[in-house]
Amino acid sequence: MTSLVAQAVQMQGGALSQSIGTAVARQQIDAQKAVAALVAETAASASPPAPAGQGRLVDRTV
């Protein structure tokens, strides 16, 4: 009977560890999605291009 109880406790501990691992993995995935959304939002609202005639020609004369 004792070994049966020990087995049940061990199984419950394993199930708890698996649940915690799953929750942590989901939290990491959600965090990565949030970062990706922030990067995409920042890229979409990038600064406007340089005015016409600027930034296209490099003067290399010294």
Side-chain angles (χ1 to χ4, degrees):
M1 185 64 116
T2 304
S3 65
L4 184 60
V5 172
Q7 252 184 341
V9 169
Q10 188 176 16
M11 287 175 63
Q12 284 181 336
L16 178 63
S17 295
Q18 186 176 10
S19 295
I20 291 172
T22 302
V24 168
R26 285 182 179 161
Q27 189 176 27
Q28 287 176 339
I29 290 168
D30 289 343
Q32 289 174 347
K33 285 181 180 179
V35 169
L38 182 63
V39 169
E41 182 182 321
T42 303
S45 66
S47 60
Q54 292 187 5
R56 297 183 184 183
L57 191 60
V58 177
D59 185 11
R60 290 192 263 166
T61 59
V62 178

